[in-house]
Amino acid sequence: MTPTISTPDMPKAKQPKKSTRSKKTRTTATAETMAAGQRDISVSEFFAKNRHLLGFDNPRKAMLTAIKEAVDNALDAAEEGGILPSIHVHVMQLSETRFRLTIRDNGPGIVRAQIENIFGKLLYGSKFHRLKMSRGQQGIGISAAGMYGLMTTGKPVVIISKTKKNKPAHEVVLKMDTSKNRPTVISDDEHPEDDQLFEDGHGTQVSIELEGKYQKGRQSIDEYLEQTAIANPHAKITYVTPSNETIEFPRAIEELPDEPKEIKPHPKGIELGTLIQMLERTEARQLGGFLQKDFCRVGATKAREICKGAGMTGQTWIKTVGHDEAEKLYDSIQKTRIIAPNTDCLVPIGSKALLAGLLKEVKAEFFAASTRPPSVYRGNPFQIEVAIGYGGGLGRDDSAKVLRFANRVPLLYSQSSCSSFKAVAETSWKNYGLTQPRNSIPSGPLVVLVHMVSVWVPFTSESKEAIADYDEIRKEMKLALQDCGRKLGTYLRRRKRMARESERRSVFERYIGEISRCCNALTGTDTDKLYKALMKQAKRRTDEADNQLDDEGNLIDDNGRLGHDEDVVIIDDVQSLQDGDDTLFGKSKPKKKTKRKTKKKTTRKRK
């Protein structure tokens, strides 16, 4: 090491100045002081601080979410009661940022004892614990809407319910105590004068006052109700806008969808922890009875096979099954081949109803639908439906519009993260005659509707805005999209052939008159007779241009691949569509089918 030598000429090193600030003493917490500050948090208190998780991100979206939850409940209630839904939605503007939302239905009503729990308590409902197709799943929606209204305006929720004709309407005014997740009833009275609200003698009305923002266009209340009418053609919806304009969405069909049936969990869809909990809660005493009663698709033979694979028997007592035995049982279930779960728990919209809904709301010239057979993800049965509309009055320079649905409910937000949107973007629409940018949805006058039906839709968040991207789900969506794409490709190729033959005929017609006159000058043939003969040949050679398509999508000449397809609707009067003629959407009388006359072939014998 080199020693440091200091000389008198060298300056002394500067000493750091002492800080005049007094050092802050850090308070140390003990186990006792930390324990004193801990307390449990209610679920309503958590969501009140994190309301964006439920879809109440901003005033505009909050209004839409509140109406969505109320309308979903109204549709579910009416269908479970076997009633064709008639829903009235009224948005009244009280000030620049304050609105009162009123939603009324003709369902069976709500008994008085359940009103406060349904509207004033989060995570309370009848749909979470059952495997059955329904719009609501978590028991959060309508109570969260009331909570948002209370937080932003301080106004309580007003519920009017009528269960029978001979009983007066009951009005309950309540608010939620978010610190305890329980309702507080402000008033509870019978109001016979409110009976006039319910023409059928039963129904429910809920009014929520909240801070919001009303705006038309995409992701608006208007768009949500329009798409709800498409996915629920059996429902009648009356909508009164803030400007006091009344919009009617009439019924397209007069039949209720079939009632879905509740099923038991499928063994392939549970995890080890869930299996252990089911073993602890089951009422069965022996393992064989547990497997047969608490699961679907497990009979006596399959139960013995599962027990044998786990080194047990069907007579094994449940109380003797510990963690190790449960793990062996779980492994045996995974190795055993078990039939897919029942699908009577699913009720798809159906191709005819989908087409009826699109015809009512979408101004296009070609419609096609496809319904996939039921499939399974994580043991949960699901089914995919797809419908498309092309041409007509749709925008030709814009990107295709993707309508996403889950259990008949429109999904308007988080489009790019939804499995439905990804499936549309991954489908190769160029194969069917459309232009498509790379890694994007197709361009042109196209509307694509994708609907998922399931006992448990895997949403990406509590706000239920997008479907999670499972491989099994996306695969079924792409197969249904490809089926509709093939039908569209067939239609577009047919249209191109018809246009091409029409151009050929116009060329023939341009020169036939001159040819007839020249032949007359050369040979003396009758000009009119030759002109008619040549025109007849021109029409025969270009007979594709004369084909017509009726309003049910069948070719009138009954040729071609679309002739017998019931899942295709083609409207031939494109100009009326562009002019906004509403008679083309399910209101006009269908054209009568006419058969083309064909001449019998004759053979001449040579002399």
Side-chain angles (χ1 to χ4, degrees), residues 542-578:
T542 59
D543 58 353
E544 182 80 14
D546 293 328
N547 287 332
Q548 294 182 358
L549 308 170
D550 63 18
D551 58 349
E552 294 180 357
N554 301 319
L555 297 173
I556 291 179
D557 64 354
D558 204 29
N559 291 326
R561 295 167 59 185
L562 301 179
H564 301 282
D565 198 331
E566 296 181 354
D567 296 338
V568 173
V569 174
I570 302 173
I571 297 177
D572 200 38
D573 195 351
V574 181
Q575 186 61 41
S576 296
L577 280 167
Q578 296 173 345

Side-chain angles (χ1 to χ4, degrees), residues 335-355:
K335 295 175 183 177
T336 305
R337 295 188 63 183
I338 303 174
I339 304 173
N342 306 43
T343 57
D344 53 2
C345 56
L346 305 177
V347 180
I349 299 174
S351 297
K352 290 185 178 179
L354 271 178
L355 292 174

Side-chain angles (χ1 to χ4, degrees), residues 163-204:
T163 56
K164 293 182 180 179
K165 288 185 177 181
N166 55 358
K167 287 187 177 182
H170 212 104
E171 181 178 301
V172 177
V173 181
L174 60 84
K175 61 181 181 180
M176 180 189 296
D177 183 355
T178 56
S179 63
K180 299 177 182 178
N181 189 31
R182 66 183 185 188
T184 301
V185 177
I186 298 174
S187 65
D188 180 3
D189 301 301
E190 290 185 350
H191 287 267
E193 64 273 14
D194 290 337
D195 291 351
Q196 59 184 354
L197 295 173
F198 309 102
E199 298 179 359
D200 299 335
H202 47 75
T204 305

